[in-house]
C-alpha cells in the first residue's frame, strides 16, 4: 500500500480509530549532511539536505493499525490558502 505524503495543508488520520497525533513512521532517506567536528573529535550535524525520501510504513500508536492512514485537511489550512491567494 502506498502511504500518502504529507503537505503543508494536510495531516494524517488513522481510518480505524481516528488518531491524528501519534504515528510510528518507517522511512528511507538519502541525505547529505554537513558535519562539524570540535577539537576533541565530537561531531555535530549542522546542515542536512534531503535528496530523496520514501515513506515505507505508518503505524498508528493508538490502535497498532499499519498503513491505515488517510490525508485530511489541517485546521485553518483552507483559510491560510485563501489569504495567500488574496495577499
Amino acid at each position: 500500500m502506498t502511504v500518502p505524503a504529507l503537505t503543508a495543508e494536510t495531516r494524517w488520520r488513522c481510518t480505524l480509530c481516528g488518531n491524528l497525533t501519534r504515528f510510528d513512521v518507517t522511512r528511507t532517506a538519502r541525505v547529505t549532511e554537513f558535519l562539524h567536528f570540535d577539537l576533541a573529535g565530537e561531531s555535530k550535524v549542522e546542515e542536512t539536505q534531503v535528496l530523496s525520501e520514501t515513506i515505507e510504513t505508518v503505524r498508528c500508536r493508538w490502535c497498532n493499525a499499519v498503513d491505515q492512514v488517510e490525508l485530511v485537511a489541517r485546521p485553518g489550512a483552507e483559510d491560510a490558502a485563501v489569504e495567500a491567494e488574496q495577499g
Side-chain angles (χ1 to χ4, degrees), residues 32-38 41-48:
T32 299
E33 295 178 330
F34 169 67
L35 298 175
H36 178 212
F37 291 86
D38 63 18
E42 297 294 322
S43 67
K44 177 180 175 184
V45 177
E46 290 193 354
E47 245 177 66
T48 301

Side-chain angles (χ1 to χ4, degrees), residues 11-75:
R11 63 182 176 172
W12 285 325
R13 177 185 174 278
C14 178
T15 58
L16 296 180
C17 71
N19 170 31
L20 293 166
T21 60
R22 303 285 191 267
F23 299 95
D24 288 319
V25 179
T26 303
R27 64 187 175 99
T28 301
R30 189 169 162 259
V31 299
T32 299
E33 295 178 330
F34 169 67
L35 298 175
H36 178 212
F37 291 86
D38 63 18
L39 295 177
E42 297 294 322
S43 67
K44 177 180 175 184
V45 177
E46 290 193 354
E47 245 177 66
T48 301
Q49 178 185 11
V50 178
L51 304 174
S52 65
E53 181 177 46
T54 303
I55 299 172
E56 297 174 15
T57 61
V58 177
R59 183 177 62 84
C60 176
R61 273 285 179 113
W62 287 3
C63 71
N64 262 348
V66 177
D67 293 336
Q68 296 294 316
V69 296
E70 65 181 352
L71 287 180
V72 295
R74 290 181 193 235

